[in-house]
Amino acid sequence: MLKFIFWSLVAVNAALFAYGKGYLGHFSGNEREPERLLKQLNADKLAIISADKANEASAATASAAASAKPAPEVLACVEIGSFVLADARRFETQLAPLKLGDRQSRHNLPGSEVSSYIVYMPPQGSKEGADKKAGELRALGVTNYFIMNDNSPLRWGISLGVFKTEGAAQNQLAALMKQGVRTARVAPRMSGSKLLAFQFRDVDAELKAKLEQFRAGYPDAESHACK
């Protein structure tokens, strides 16, 4: 009996050894790892890399994908000036094919002398904001006001009166404060000059390049961001 068990174990071990060496053939899905690699396409080009290198490669790929499509730059407002009247007309002719519509406007640059004084409330950021502030003024009993909607630095501010002298403007401010107006202020208004400037809104990279190309033809004209 012991001999039978002994020879049975020997036979089992021999069979396992032969299977491991491939002498008994292969069953689907059970090939040894080296032989499976040999059966893959371009197995000689496969390489095992460390986890750190794999992470670096993944990060590099993600970075390349993110930089492949950069977000287009859009500027809220660009101003180009100054122009004398003849140059301004020629510049407008160059701009015409761009068909910018409301995105383009022209205004006089301020002069160097004070012409009057304005009592005003600062810009409210939008027409809606200015309308809301106007409603607050009406609730205080103030009816003499004007919402400024031009392309000046005071766009969407509220004018509460324009006066020839600073003293008259300060008197108006004091009267408004008695009515409960707290954010009004006085500022000088400069006389208009004969120089003109253009403002452009929603300027992307393509439009900016074209504007700069046109501006280069006017030595005295400069461009800068505006509100």
Side-chain angles (χ1 to χ4, degrees):
M1 184 65 180
L2 292 176
K3 289 182 178 182
F4 174 79
I5 295 174
F6 172 79
W7 288 112
S8 295
L9 292 173
V10 170
V12 171
N13 288 329
L16 292 174
F17 177 81
Y19 176 78
K21 289 295 187 178
Y23 299 143
L24 300 179
H26 302 286
F27 299 98
S28 177
N30 293 323
E31 293 91 349
R32 298 174 64 203
E33 189 63 22
E35 293 179 352
R36 277 215 309 265
L37 289 175
L38 290 175
K39 290 182 180 180
Q40 296 188 37
L41 295 177
N42 299 321
D44 58 323
K45 296 182 180 179
L46 295 176
I48 298 176
I49 63 175
S50 66
D52 290 340
K53 288 187 176 181
N55 291 335
E56 291 176 1
S58 177
T61 301
S63 176
S67 60
K69 296 181 180 180
E73 178 187 15
V74 178
L75 301 177
C77 179
V78 171
E79 180 170 298
I80 299 180
S82 56
F83 300 92
V84 296
L85 181 59
D87 286 344
R89 289 174 176 170
R90 183 161 62 91
F91 190 60
E92 279 182 319
T93 301
Q94 292 176 298
L95 294 171
L98 301 181
K99 298 180 180 180
L100 297 176
D102 293 341
R103 296 167 62 194
Q104 170 188 328
S105 61
R106 188 181 81 175
H107 64 91
N108 283 83
L109 292 173
S112 57
E113 296 181 359
V114 176
S115 62
S116 58
Y117 293 85
I118 183 173
V119 181
Y120 72 101
M121 302 187 78
Q124 303 300 308
S126 65
K127 182 180 183 302
E128 292 73 17
D131 287 340
K132 180 180 179 181
K133 184 61 67 173
E136 295 175 3
L137 289 172
R138 289 194 298 271
L140 294 173
V142 179
T143 58
N144 185 21
Y145 64 83
F146 172 73
I147 295 176
M148 294 178 279
N149 59 2
D150 58 3
N151 288 309
S152 72
L154 294 180
R155 178 179 174 86
W156 304 128
I158 300 177
S159 171
L160 296 167
V162 177
F163 303 87
K164 284 289 185 182
T165 65
E166 184 177 9
Q170 293 292 350
N171 289 339
Q172 172 69 356
L173 178 63
L176 290 168
M177 292 182 68
K178 289 181 179 179
Q179 289 183 261
V181 179
R182 294 288 177 261
T183 59
R185 60 189 65 174
V186 173
R189 297 180 71 198
M190 310 306 290
S191 59
S193 72
K194 296 181 179 180
L195 297 178
L196 301 165
F198 292 82
Q199 287 189 352
F200 306 91
R201 299 192 176 276
D202 301 326
V203 180
D204 57 21
E206 181 179 359
L207 176 57
K208 184 179 180 181
K210 290 180 179 178
L211 293 176
E212 286 299 319
Q213 182 181 359
F214 294 154
R215 184 198 62 78
Y218 304 87
D220 294 330
E222 298 181 350
S223 63
H224 59 85
C226 52
K227 295 182 180 180

